[in-house]
Amino acid sequence: MNLILLGPPGAGKGTQAQRLVDTYGLVQLSTGDMLRSEVSSGSDLGLRAKKIMDEGQLVPDDIMIAMISGQIDAASASDGIILDGFPRTTAQAEALDVVLGAKGLTVDHVIQLEVDEDAIVSRLSGRFSCAACGEGYHDTYARPEVEGVCDKCGAKEFTRRSDDNAHTVRSRLAAYNKQTAPILPYYLEKGSLKRVDGLGTMETVFGEIKGIIDGV
Ligand code: AMP
C-alpha cells in the first residue's frame, strides 16, 4: 500500500506518518528529513538546500525527483511507502506517477490533512523535538512530563528547526498555497484524494486515517 500525506507545513504529516509506520509497517519517506540530513552532512546539496529551506521556498523539482526516485527504489521490497512532504508541485506529482508506474506501483490513497493558517503558525512556532530520538513536543500543547527530559528516551537535549520561526513559516505557507495546493485537483480527478480534519487530537486524526486505509 502506498500513501501520500498532503497538507500545509504543521498539519501533522510527520506525526501521522510515524503512527502509520508503527501500525502498518510502511516505510516513511520524508523529503524534509532527507534534506535536513544533507544539511547536517554539510554536502554541496545540503548547503544549497539550507538557504532555500531557511527562506521557506521549495528546493528545485529536478533535485527532489531524483532524491525520491532513489529512495523509492531502496524501499521497493517493503510493504509500501508513506510519502511525507512529496509531491509538493504538479511536476513532482506527475514524475511520481512515472517512477511508481515503472515499478508497476500506484498511489492507493492521498490523504489531505486540513488545518487553518492561524493554527499552523501557533503549532509550528512552539514545536521542538528530542535531539536523540526525535520525539516531538510543543511549548504549549505537549511539554515533556518532566521538564527538560524526553518522555520516550530520557535524553536531555532538544532541538528546534531553524525554519520554524514566524517569518519562514509565512513563506512556507505561501509556497504551499501557490505551488502545492494546485496539485489537489490532480488527485481529486483520479479519485484518490481523501480529506481529514487535521485539527483534532493526534488520536482522532489517526483514527480517521486508519478508517480510510482499512476501508471502514
Ligand atoms: P518539511 O520538513 O516537509 O516541512 O520540509 C522542509 C523544507 O524542505 C521545505 O520548506 C522545503 O524547503 C524543503 N522541501 C521538502 N520537501 C520538498 C519537496 N518535495 N519539494 C521541494 N522542497 C521540499
Side-chain angles (χ1 to χ4, degrees), residues 9-10 13 30-33 35-36 49 52-54 56-61 64 84-89 92 127 161 163 168 172:
K13 300 186 294 294
S30 158
T31 44
D33 285 349
L35 288 167
R36 280 183 288 280
I52 298 172
M53 292 163 82
D54 284 346
Q57 307 295 323
L58 295 186
V59 173
D61 285 336
M64 298 314 302
D84 154 18
F86 188 96
R88 261 177 156 99
T89 64
Q92 292 181 15
R127 74 179 178 178
R161 281 175 48 170
D163 58 351
T168 308
R172 288 162 66 198

Side-chain angles (χ1 to χ4, degrees), residues 42-86:
S43 67
D44 286 348
L45 168 58
L47 292 176
R48 196 172 153 206
K50 176 158 177 42
K51 191 168 175 291
I52 298 172
M53 292 163 82
D54 284 346
E55 283 166 359
Q57 307 295 323
L58 295 186
V59 173
D61 285 336
D62 54 340
I63 296 177
M64 298 314 302
I65 292 166
M67 186 177 273
I68 204 74
S69 305
Q71 295 292 326
I72 289 174
D73 275 345
S76 58
S78 69
D79 287 342
I81 55 173
I82 308 160
L83 290 164
D84 154 18
F86 188 96

Side-chain angles (χ1 to χ4, degrees), residues 104-126:
L105 301 172
T106 50
V107 173
D108 299 291
H109 302 289
V110 179
I111 296 167
Q112 179 194 359
L113 296 174
E114 295 183 300
V115 283
D116 71 56
E117 297 203 359
D118 290 343
I120 288 169
V121 177
S122 115
R123 268 190 186 189
L124 290 187
S125 41

